[in-house]
Every structure is written in C-alpha cells, then in structure tokens.
Amino acid sequence: PQGSEEAKAFVNAFLKRSMPKKKDETIQEILTRKAVVLEHYSQKKKKPKRKKPKGFTAKQRREMRLFEIEPEQQRYAIFLPLHELWKQYIRELCHGLKPDAQPHMLQGKLLKADLHGAIVTVTKSKCPSYVGITGIILQEFKHVFKIITKEDKLKVVPKLNNVFSLEIDGFISYIYGSKFQLRASERSAKKFKLKGTIDL
C-alpha cells in the first residue's frame, strides 16, 4: 500500500505525462477541482517530403544525343509537312491573317509564337556568309537556330548580329536576332517593346 505522498507524486507524474502542454501550476489548479479531464496528446507526424523527379543535366543530354538529328533524317522534304502544320498554327493564332489586320498585333503574336517549322531567311548579317540562307527551322535554342535548307544541309545560324525574315500569306515579319536571344518557352511569357533600338 502506498502512502498519501507517494500517491500524490504518482498522480502528478501521470498528469505531466498526459498533459505535457500544461504547466505545473495549472495542473495543481485542476487537481483542486477533484475532476480531471485528460487530454489526448499525439505527436504530429512529419510528412515525408516528396522528391521532385530530376531531369537530365546538359551533359547527360549531350551524351545521350537527345537533340541531334541523324544525317539520314537531314532532308528538306521530310520537314515540309511540319511547315504546313506551322502555317496552319499561325493562321489560327492570328485569326486568319486577314488583310485588314493590324501589323503590330500580328508582329506581337509572331514574336511569342513557336517557330519550329517556319521558313526563315537571313536578310542581314555582320557575317556575309550567312546572308541568303533560307530553310525550315528544326530547332530553336537560346542563341542559335538550326535550319534545314533546300539543299538538305543543316545550318546552325546564331541569332546574334543576324536579321531574319519570315513570310506567310503575304505578311512579312522581321526578327532581329540580337533582341531575340531567348528560349522558345521563355519568349511566350516575355513582353516585347513595340519600339526599340534597331541594330544587328
């Protein structure tokens, strides 16, 4: 049989374990009421952090040759259907390219549009060897266009110091590559200035 002091100590210790958020003074106040409502205390379980799937690094992509076009696939005729799809996409984007459409509105949409499949021509360049190159854009990177020409040659043309033109349904748009050094995904969210410095 336990004495009154031992019983009191046991009760106090039990209440501290049962109500860890309560202070000793508060527990003593509760004991004087002779009725104690025990709290349910449960430790919060930490949710395991979800690991985001990591994509390939630039080095891994190069090693896997993900963006390389095989030599047997470097033929202009293969990508003509892609160009037809691009024209259809632009017509829908610009609501039909009507003659009464405002040029600056069309220009704004073309600057944000996906250019994979567009036929472009280098009209001006600080490097004369680039002038006159015409072909379908197969890949667009931040600083270069990869273009397949009618002669089935894959050309890598830098955007910097080059001016490109593209024509669709009689509407000709000029792209100043030096102001266009963005990835296709970044261009869709960028606000281009209607007026700016025009240089190569």
Side-chain angles (χ1 to χ4, degrees):
Q2 291 180 332
S4 60
E5 291 298 323
E6 289 175 339
K8 189 175 180 181
F10 171 78
V11 171
N12 284 333
F14 175 75
L15 291 176
K16 279 184 183 180
R17 285 198 307 273
S18 302
M19 297 185 290
K21 293 181 181 180
K22 301 282 186 186
K23 294 181 180 179
D24 290 345
E25 296 82 8
T26 311
I27 292 173
Q28 292 304 321
E29 286 178 14
I30 294 170
L31 281 172
T32 56
R33 299 172 195 160
K34 297 183 180 179
V36 179
V37 179
L38 297 178
E39 295 176 351
H40 174 67
Y41 176 73
S42 60
Q43 290 183 344
K44 290 183 180 179
K45 292 182 180 179
K46 291 183 179 179
K47 292 182 180 179
K49 291 182 179 178
R50 290 183 181 179
K51 290 184 179 179
K52 292 182 180 178
K54 291 183 178 179
F56 295 118
T57 62
K59 185 180 178 182
Q60 288 172 326
R61 287 197 291 267
R62 283 196 299 271
E63 289 172 352
M64 296 171 71
R65 302 174 67 189
L66 289 179
F67 297 117
E68 288 189 23
I69 300 168
E70 298 297 331
E72 61 270 15
Q73 300 294 323
Q74 295 176 14
R75 299 210 310 275
Y76 186 83
I78 291 177
F79 297 100
L80 280 173
L82 175 65
H83 175 59
E84 293 301 319
L85 282 173
W86 181 81
K87 286 198 293 187
Q88 184 181 341
Y89 153 69
I90 291 298
R91 285 170 187 146
E92 289 177 3
L93 182 69
C94 300
H95 306 293
L97 288 168
K98 297 174 183 177
D100 59 344
Q102 295 179 346
H104 69 274
M105 294 292 288
L106 297 178
Q107 181 75 9
K109 288 184 178 180
L110 281 172
L111 287 173
K112 294 187 176 188
D114 191 330
L115 297 179
H116 293 90
I119 293 179
V120 294
T121 302
V122 182
T123 54
K124 291 182 183 179
S125 177
K126 283 191 175 180
C127 179
S129 61
Y130 287 127
V131 177
I133 292 176
T134 302
I136 299 172
I137 294 177
L138 300 188
Q139 292 174 317
E140 180 188 355
F141 298 98
K142 186 173 183 178
H143 300 292
V144 298
F145 285 124
K146 280 191 178 181
I147 298 170
I148 186 79
T149 66
K150 289 182 179 179
E151 293 78 27
D152 297 337
K153 290 182 180 179
L154 187 66
K155 302 281 187 180
V156 179
V157 183
K159 294 179 181 179
L160 186 67
N161 299 328
N162 285 320
V163 179
F164 304 86
S165 67
L166 59 90
E167 186 270 334
I168 178 169
D169 295 346
F171 179 79
I172 300 173
S173 176
Y174 291 95
I175 296 168
Y176 289 81
S178 299
K179 310 290 183 185
F180 211 67
Q181 295 188 81
L182 296 162
R183 294 181 180 88
S185 57
E186 293 170 351
R187 274 196 294 107
S188 61
K190 180 177 172 61
K191 288 184 179 179
F192 289 93
K193 292 180 180 178
L194 293 177
K195 292 182 180 179
T197 55
I198 296 175
D199 55 3
L200 289 177

